[in-house]
Amino acid sequence: MGAGHGGALSARYVAGTSPVHRLAPQVKLVAVLAYALVVVATPVHAGWAPWAYAGYLLAVLTVAAVARVRPARLLRSLVVEIPFVVFALLLPFVTRGPRVEVLGLSLSESGLQTGGALLAKATLSVLAATVLATTTEPRALLRGLERLRLPAALVQILGFMIRYVDVVSGELHRMRVARESRAFDGRRRGALRVLGAAAGALFIRSYERGERVHLAMLSRGYSGRLPGGPAAAVPPREWAAGLALPLVAGVVLATGMLLG
Amino acid sequence: MSTTPSLLVEDVAFAYPDGHQALFGVDLRIDPGERVALLGPNGAGKTTLVLHLNGILRPGRGSISVAGLPVAKQNLREIRSRVGIVFQDPDDQLFMPTVGEDVAFGPRNLGLPEAEVAARVEEALAQVGMAGAADRAPHHLSFGQRRRVAVATVLSMHPEILVLDEPSSNLDPAGRRELAEVLESLPVTLLMVTHDLPYALQLCPRAVVLDGGAVVADGGTRELLADAPLLAAHRLELPYGFDPSRA
């Protein structure tokens, strides 16, 4: 159908058996979050900040290498960052304060710093998240969130999203084919009205499907929470291995703060 | 000698909140091991009746019991383990990320221990010819496979009676035959809602015709399908060229 055979959301996952793949999903989630927090906590205007960013980058690239994530995939994942890049490139032009000459352009010094820091922090966080998405199946991520005590309702909503994103996009695709089969042209005047109606129809269909799914769930004894499978406790050694990434980042940050 | 019927529906009447009356006193008794087709035109009240069987809808009048247990609020959990409803669209039925988790959904809701859940998942998938598919995602299966997995999701609860809503709809001929083979092999009481009259004849020795919210005929499927005036009066039609006396 419209979405690829593998499902739109599982497209980022690449099966593997690396140590990173084998880590429990909750460990990886905590590690990525902690890593991102350390990265964000790095002071923007400190002189040693670029060195810290280099250290973080080295750490996350090491993890990516252990996980055998291909460099091309890491680069492609950076596409989501483009809005930040635009913003970061604007900053040196619009920020006030002392200015420096670069290639004949007068740029704000603090704008350069802020923009650069923004770019570095976003890039590092996206890289870590990409390693997570590449090495963890979507439903394993859900299990991880569940173990981390995210409210059950939220986990269920995410689960249904994973399950039904292909069903709904299939429906969307069939509606588009049906429209175009009757010579519909999206660029013509009045097309928006048609597309609006289609969006409404899709919403109502999805809503009705939600009601039917709920009926089917009730019929099989659903009582408010999804029963989970067997939960194995994560050994401390695995936590230690998984948290190595944010720990290394933390050490880099602490060193910078103490020496800088 | 009278055994406890698997399903006993007595004088069930129901009106939707908007005032539309869907059922006017339905009586139906199904004994253990029986296979019954529930026939009737669109809007006859078939789905409304099905939703009464496990207490999703409550009758305004009359009563329903499953293997002797009345369908009432305090029994709902037990009732829902006894009545296995397979809905028409497998995408509605299969809502968990993998086939195995979906088949385990019912048994886990029943609070069974994990070892028992695993055994039931394996057994149910084997019964529908889908052994080994536990780790697959529902959207990777063909429509016919999804329909059979949907049957497995309720078989794993070991229901007293299996209720199928339009089991043959949207299946290709091979999928239709494979499902029939599965259904024939299952040692359960069966109530099958369908427009597919040859399918009813193939799988169910007995048929009940529901129209206008009441049972208008109840008897051998072959005899009912041979009764042309009855079929015509209730918008039931055999496929072109199909002769029930020769099938």
Side-chain angles (χ1 to χ4, degrees):
Chain A
M1 276 293 144
H5 194 60
L9 283 175
S10 30
R12 290 186 181 278
Y13 173 69
V14 178
T17 53
S18 77
V20 182
H21 278 85
R22 288 199 305 268
L23 280 178
Q26 60 267 44
V27 174
K28 287 189 261 187
L29 277 164
V30 170
V32 168
L33 185 65
Y35 174 81
L37 286 178
V38 171
V39 169
V40 172
T42 310
V44 171
H45 297 293
W48 49 271
W51 296 106
Y53 297 137
Y56 302 150
L57 182 66
L58 193 64
V60 75
L61 288 183
T62 307
V63 175
V66 171
R68 301 208 187 88
V69 181
R70 282 204 307 275
R73 174 167 290 271
L74 284 177
L75 281 178
R76 245 181 302 148
S77 71
L78 293 178
V79 170
V80 296
E81 227 193 325
I82 286 175
F84 290 95
V85 176
V86 172
F87 188 61
L89 287 180
L90 281 178
L91 272 179
F93 294 97
V94 296
T95 315
R96 272 179 281 179
R99 309 190 79 79
V100 285
E101 285 284 321
V102 179
L103 301 173
L105 292 171
S106 163
L107 301 177
S108 151
E109 212 172 296
S110 82
L112 269 177
Q113 271 180 340
T114 316
L118 186 71
L119 206 55
K121 289 178 178 186
T123 307
L124 290 165
S125 305
V126 169
L127 287 177
T130 304
V131 174
L132 174 69
T134 313
T135 59
T136 321
E137 272 184 285
R139 69 194 177 95
L141 278 178
L142 284 188
R143 270 206 311 278
L145 290 171
E146 211 167 30
R147 301 275 186 279
L148 294 173
R149 307 284 154 80
L150 192 75
L154 287 180
V155 178
Q156 288 180 27
I157 291 172
L158 287 171
F160 288 127
M161 186 176 82
I162 291 178
R163 168 64 184 89
Y164 285 103
V165 67
D166 292 324
V167 174
V168 173
S169 59
E171 226 151 78
L172 193 64
H173 174 74
R174 286 193 297 274
M175 286 165 77
R176 192 171 60 97
V177 169
R179 270 199 312 271
E180 287 173 8
S181 302
R182 287 186 283 156
F184 174 76
D185 179 357
R187 285 162 304 181
R188 221 177 289 164
R189 258 157 47 93
L192 268 183
R193 235 183 48 170
V194 176
L195 293 176
L202 189 70
F203 174 77
I204 292 188
R205 280 197 205 180
S206 303
Y207 184 84
E208 286 175 345
R209 181 180 298 280
E211 287 190 324
R212 292 198 304 274
V213 171
H214 186 235
L215 268 187
M217 292 171 73
L218 287 179
S219 297
R220 288 198 275 149
Y222 175 73
S223 54
R225 51 176 290 280
L226 289 184
V234 177
R237 196 141 39 94
E238 197 174 332
W239 276 107
L243 294 182
L245 172 68
L247 275 178
V248 167
V251 167
V252 170
L253 178 65
T255 313
M257 289 220 173
L258 289 174
L259 302 182
Chain B
M1 183 193 111
S2 80
T3 53
T4 311
S6 277
L7 177 70
L8 189 62
V9 177
E10 288 177 307
D11 193 31
V12 163
F14 176 79
Y16 280 98
D18 66 0
H20 168 70
Q21 177 119 14
L23 300 176
F24 297 83
V26 172
D27 290 289
L28 180 62
R29 177 195 167 105
I30 299 180
D31 284 318
E34 266 198 294
R35 286 154 183 272
V36 182
L38 182 60
L39 312 175
N42 286 341
K46 302 188 298 287
T47 302
T48 307
L49 179 60
V50 164
L51 292 179
H52 276 79
L53 302 184
N54 70 352
I56 298 266
L57 297 177
R58 301 298 172 66
R61 186 185 81 210
S63 69
I64 299 160
S65 62
V66 181
L69 185 72
V71 177
K73 198 162 188 142
Q74 65 273 20
N75 301 335
L76 272 189
R77 198 170 127 126
E78 176 64 23
I79 286 293
R80 284 174 186 171
S81 76
R82 291 188 184 191
V83 181
I85 301 185
V86 180
F87 291 93
Q88 193 173 348
D89 185 345
D91 277 328
D92 295 343
Q93 184 100 18
L94 307 175
F95 42 78
M96 297 292 275
T98 65
V99 166
E101 283 175 77
D102 216 300
V103 179
F105 179 83
R108 283 189 180 139
N109 280 327
L110 300 181
L112 297 176
E114 227 16 73
E116 169 80 9
V117 170
R120 286 201 179 192
V121 168
E122 199 173 322
E123 175 200 42
L125 285 175
Q127 278 180 308
V128 300
M130 291 295 293
D135 288 327
R136 299 180 63 184
H139 59 260
H140 287 182
L141 303 177
S142 75
F143 193 83
Q145 289 174 325
R146 268 182 279 166
R147 174 78 40 85
R148 280 186 282 142
V149 169
V151 173
T153 62
V154 299
L155 283 181
S156 62
M157 301 176 79
H158 289 178
E160 167 81 22
I161 179 166
L162 185 61
V163 181
L164 302 160
D165 193 2
E166 296 286 359
S168 62
S169 64
N170 291 331
L171 289 180
D172 59 15
R176 186 172 177 277
R177 175 187 49 76
E178 284 161 358
L179 182 67
E181 285 165 3
V182 165
L183 295 177
E184 269 176 334
S185 72
L186 295 177
V188 292
T189 311
L190 191 77
L191 178 66
M192 187 170 105
V193 176
T194 189
H195 289 294
D196 186 341
L197 301 184
Y199 216 53
L201 180 61
Q202 182 185 353
L203 291 170
C204 303
R206 178 181 158 202
V208 172
V209 179
L210 193 71
D211 196 6
V215 172
V216 294
D218 183 348
T221 308
R222 195 174 296 273
E223 290 77 56
L224 285 187
L225 295 193
D227 187 343
L230 174 82
L231 295 188
H234 301 291
R235 290 182 65 80
L236 295 172
E237 288 186 14
L238 291 164
Y240 177 78
F242 183 81
D243 180 354
S245 63
R246 293 216 255 154

